[in-house]
Amino acid sequence: MLTADRFLRSGKVRDLYELDDERLLLVASDRISAFDVVLPTEIPDKGRVLTGLSRWWFDETASIVPNHLLGVVGDDPELRGRSMVCRKAIVLPIEIVVRGYLSGSGWKEYLMHGAVCGNRLPAGLRESDRLPEPILTPATKAEQGHHDMNIDYESMVQLLEDWPPHGNDWLGREAAEALATQVQDVAFRLYELGARRCAEAGIILADTKFELGLTDDGLILVDEVMTPDSSRFWDAATYAPGGPQASFDKQFVRDWLEQQPWDKTAPGPELPLDVVAGTRGRYVEAFERITGASFDRYLREDVIAR
């Protein structure tokens, strides 16, 4: 199935293959990126965590918005657990980020401007504080090795207005405003459901990134959903605003990298064994706590169940 003529491209984490005119094969590798740089060290089974968790979320969120998942590949040992057969879509040129808590680049922007992506926030908030209500903080999609840029809602509308989803057929202002409204509504509903499910597992969904695309039938959810790569997962039992939090995501890697003499350009430093093991452990724990399923069984049987 994976032949050179079917290969389309590699992203930071996933490899994309074309199956036919309507379907793609998405294969999640064990690569890990930080600060928009793919690091030279892989995290064992990371791609399977991302795929299994995304498959679970696609099922959970199907009542909110359709998604691109059509099936999986189970007869190839290299692909089992890390592949998704997907419907083709024209992916929006914007990362759709929803924040319920103040952290990361949002915290840094708040310190400078008292706002995040045009969302004015109350004075006196601390790092990791829960926000009065979730906010939409879109971001541009940078090429590999470059940094994504946070933008405000109006800038998102402008990007969509100038975006040609069908060749040179520009979307236009009216259609862009309607699409932006729909995207915002879907994103908030997805975050609300995700935060509720995570809370049941003793996890805080601090923020998360969604990828959305267009098909002839309308808007669909694509790529990955509420994984440790695209989200900040905090342990609710130890949550204490006023600083960084214990997490089940790649913040563990970012924290280690911040202590290294590295200028955040490729290729990045090799990760030590303890950081690799610690990252894998956090990813697996997120999978098991959120889904309630056994990751060992998922590895053996490609089944998301206890």
Side-chain angles (χ1 to χ4, degrees), residues 26-58:
L26 204 61
V27 181
S29 73
D30 292 335
R31 299 188 296 269
I32 188 166
S33 69
F35 305 109
D36 298 307
V37 173
V38 177
L39 302 177
T41 311
E42 295 189 342
I43 307 297
D45 294 321
K46 173 177 171 288
R48 291 184 169 93
V49 170
L50 301 187
T51 300
L53 197 48
S54 291
R55 285 166 54 183
W56 189 84
W57 281 120
F58 279 135

Side-chain angles (χ1 to χ4, degrees), residues 99-112 114-116 121-132 135 204 206-207 232 234 238-245:
R99 301 175 188 269
Y101 292 74
L102 193 56
S103 186
S105 63
W107 167 243
K108 294 176 182 177
E109 188 173 341
Y110 171 77
L111 289 176
M112 290 188 295
V116 182
L121 297 175
L125 293 179
R126 300 163 295 175
E127 183 178 6
S128 303
D129 260 336
R130 183 173 183 175
L131 300 175
I135 59 174
I204 293 171
D207 56 54
R232 280 190 175 84
W234 295 340
T238 60
Y239 171 65
Q245 305 298 306

Side-chain angles (χ1 to χ4, degrees), residues 268-285:
E270 293 275 357
L271 300 178
L273 292 178
D274 62 322
V275 173
V276 171
T279 303
R280 183 188 185 278
R282 285 164 170 78
Y283 274 53
V284 170
E285 184 169 354

Side-chain angles (χ1 to χ4, degrees), residues 143-162:
E143 294 297 322
Q144 186 168 308
H146 296 80
H147 299 296
D148 299 334
M149 298 289 294
N150 292 345
I151 58 175
D152 60 19
Y153 184 85
E154 175 55 33
S155 297
M156 179 178 76
V157 175
Q158 184 64 52
L159 276 175
L160 292 174
E161 181 180 355
D162 297 335

Side-chain angles (χ1 to χ4, degrees), residues 89-96 139-141 156 159-160 163 165 171 176 179-184 210-215 218-222:
I90 304 169
V91 181
L92 271 58
I94 301 161
E95 293 183 342
I96 309 302
T140 61
K141 293 181 178 180
M156 179 178 76
L159 276 175
L160 292 174
W163 174 53
L171 202 58
L179 180 57
T181 298
Q182 184 184 11
V183 164
Q184 178 172 253
F210 301 113
E211 295 274 5
L212 295 162
L214 291 177
T215 69
L219 196 69
I220 67 170
L221 187 60
V222 303

